[in-house]
Amino acid sequence: MGKKIFSGVQPTGNLHLGNYLGAIKNFVELNNDQENDCIFCVVDLHAITVKQDPKELRNNIRETVATFIASGIDSKKSIIFNQSTVPAHSEAAWILSCIARIGWLNRMTQFKEKAGKDKEKASVGLYSYPVLMAADILLYDASHVPVGEDQKQHLEICRDIAQKFNNDFNVENFFHIPEPLIQKEFSRIMSLKDGTKKMSKSELSDLSRINLTDDKDTIINKIKKAKTDSLPLPSKIEELDKRPEAKNLLQIYSSLNNSNLKKTIETFQGKNFSELKENLSQILVEKIEPISVEIKKLLSEKEYLDKILLEGHKKANSIASNKVKKMHEIIGF
Ligand code: TYM
């Protein structure tokens, strides 16, 4: 039987190689399987948990859709929509925030990282972010949620919320309990400047990531400048634990090559970083540059992108408003 896939990406600009290898590449594969029903959401309500410039946000929403399409997601085979255009997400998030426990949210490491030292100044939305994410997933009875490793904890809380709602109201199976789909070796792509830090849109230095809009020369330059260590490349996976930069570059190469780390290590063992970097640049240019070119082309076709979102809105809205209506009945509204 096919899977019901749901996943979301924030329209906060600078979509990068981590987003692509950790999530979007997997979306494309799931979307290519005829058996699956896929829904991909541009999560603008999540984006505003930190301050956004309205004009940039509007552009970034279109850019996220363009990235989906340029990466190979077929808008005819999947629903692509913008979260804020489906009011059921906010409604369900409120209801589920009365189900979720403060103790559960207090354990979320992403909030701790994003809020930083001054938690008092973080938005309430940033804190309750995982509840909105649970609403996203549960409204569509998703069976599987493809995400990077950083979202694992949010998936766990989603499962807890679903279970508690089903138990509290004695409605077994009302919310489907979703499974995370996290790729084994490529679930956490690291910064090119520090192999112990996640590749991220918010990192100040642009040299820390490959953006999906980078052109050929930029990609080559960033790989040239990527941090390395002074030893030749190892012959055993275990040796990589102490060499985060080597591990990251080998992983990126493996993923783009649709291979695995073990095989990639066999190819490069005993060689210098320069050889790995040369091969890595080549495959990055081969795989990422066409996406970058296509994104730029699509961005000039605003009406086309808006049409995709409108079509997606109609379908998503119909599913989600129906589910929220049932939630109302169960609760006693
Ligand atoms: P966001 O927008 O931060 O990231 C989008 C996807 O990219 C993955 N990702 C990474 N994977 C590997 N290595 C990295 N360095 C890396 N950086 C980002 C993320 O894990 C994610 O899968 N909360 C979500 C969006 C969301 C969502 C949802 C996801 C909202 N509602 C419902 C699934 C289901 C987020 O902030 O993703």
Side-chain angles (χ1 to χ4, degrees), residues 6-13 15-24 27 39 41-44 46-47 64 68 83 89 110 114 129-130 132-138 142 144-152 154-155 158 181-183 186-191 197-201 248:
F6 184 98
S7 198
V9 175
Q10 293 193 64
T12 38
L15 284 182
H16 53 72
L17 194 64
N19 299 124
Y20 181 69
L21 298 180
I24 299 171
F27 298 176
I39 306 181
C41 183
V42 182
V43 292
D44 55 351
H46 278 107
T64 309
F68 286 166
Q83 191 185 29
H89 288 251
Q110 183 172 294
K114 285 202 176 168
Y129 180 113
L132 176 61
M133 189 163 154
D136 297 342
I137 297 166
L138 300 177
H144 293 82
V145 183
V147 282
E149 149 79 30
D150 60 340
Q151 297 299 315
K152 193 170 167 213
H154 292 163
L155 258 293
C158 170
L181 280 182
I182 299 174
Q183 308 194 70
F186 321 117
S187 60
R188 204 171 164 80
I189 302 298
M190 310 309 270
S191 156
K197 271 196 186 156
K198 196 178 70 168
M199 186 179 284
S200 140
K201 334 180 185 190
N248 191 36

Side-chain angles (χ1 to χ4, degrees), residues 157-191:
I157 199 173
C158 170
R159 291 165 59 93
D160 290 341
I161 291 171
Q163 205 103 53
K164 183 160 165 39
F165 186 98
N166 289 352
N167 288 342
D168 284 0
F169 295 100
N170 208 2
V171 282
E172 208 190 341
N173 301 329
F174 174 69
F175 281 134
H176 188 93
I177 314 294
E179 296 290 335
L181 280 182
I182 299 174
Q183 308 194 70
K184 243 184 32 223
E185 286 183 342
F186 321 117
S187 60
R188 204 171 164 80
I189 302 298
M190 310 309 270
S191 156

